[in-house]
Amino acid sequence: MTVPQTNLSTVPDAQTAFEAVNFVNRINFYFDRWEADTLLASFTDDVIVDHPLGRSVGKPALAEFLKAYEPITHGVRRHNANHVVDVVDGGDVKVTYYILLVRIAPSSEAAALKDNPMSIMEYDEHFPKLISYAQVTDTLTRVGNGQWKVRHKRVENVAEDRIHHF
């Protein structure tokens, strides 16, 4: 059996890999806390997002997509795993990872999580509940001030539990 070899020329240095993984994890915290302005600022003006719910091109289209997407984010936490970081053409960095979405509260009760963060939420509806799995690929670029921005986000191989979606 032949084991596939990694092209070492595509593997970034440790600092770049750390920064890239940290950045995509922060973006998912912005989703969890629904910090819409900070989230949107994490993308380039010409961003492309390919998602099973649709494609958006540019920040205005992404803003509209996020507005429609927001209701299902309340009461959900994202857990990212198995990040693989590669350098791609032009020096951009591609981070591919698995994302698990866990519903920790019904959307209608999610505000209590912000109001009482130190309380233990108890439900009869079998929460927390894994509601979705996907593979995500974020292509990151550095902008003029050296900060990372997402140039392209691709969400694929999605599997969902619709019963606990909201």
Side-chain angles (χ1 to χ4, degrees):
M1 169 189 259
T2 304
V3 176
Q5 298 296 313
T6 300
N7 180 350
L8 294 179
S9 66
T10 66
V11 176
D13 62 82
Q15 182 65 32
T16 300
F18 169 78
E19 290 175 9
V21 170
N22 189 47
F23 181 72
V24 299
N25 287 340
R26 285 179 186 279
I27 290 172
N28 285 303
F29 273 117
Y30 303 149
F31 268 107
D32 288 350
R33 297 178 187 136
W34 200 252
E35 296 177 18
D37 292 339
T38 306
L39 178 61
L40 198 57
S42 301
F43 294 87
T44 62
D45 291 340
D46 61 348
V47 64
I48 298 171
V49 176
D50 291 309
H51 191 283
L53 296 177
R55 180 176 230 231
S56 60
V57 178
K59 263 193 187 174
L62 177 58
E64 286 299 312
F65 176 85
L66 292 174
K67 183 177 177 182
Y69 188 73
E70 179 185 2
I72 66 172
T73 68
H74 298 290
V76 172
R77 298 296 180 263
R78 286 148 183 78
H79 301 270
N80 309 325
N82 297 25
H83 298 79
V84 175
V85 183
D86 291 296
V87 177
V88 294
D89 293 338
D92 287 351
V93 173
K94 182 172 70 171
V95 183
T96 303
Y97 55 97
Y98 300 120
I99 189 166
L100 303 171
L101 276 61
V102 177
R103 177 156 299 286
I104 61 170
S107 295
S108 61
E109 299 179 35
L113 297 169
K114 286 186 178 182
D115 297 339
N116 300 304
M118 295 302 291
S119 65
I120 297 175
M121 309 299 286
E122 294 183 19
Y123 302 99
D124 293 330
E125 294 96 357
H126 308 290
F127 292 111
K129 172 75 174 168
L130 177 64
I131 61 166
S132 184
Y133 157 91
Q135 179 178 308
V136 178
T137 302
D138 289 332
T139 302
L140 311 179
T141 192
R142 285 198 192 269
V143 294
N145 60 6
Q147 291 183 321
W148 291 108
K149 299 271 184 169
V150 178
R151 177 186 305 268
H152 187 198
K153 178 180 277 294
R154 181 176 176 84
V155 180
E156 58 190 332
N157 298 322
V158 176
E160 290 187 331
D161 177 349
R162 288 274 186 199
I163 293 172
H164 295 304
H165 205 40
F166 287 97

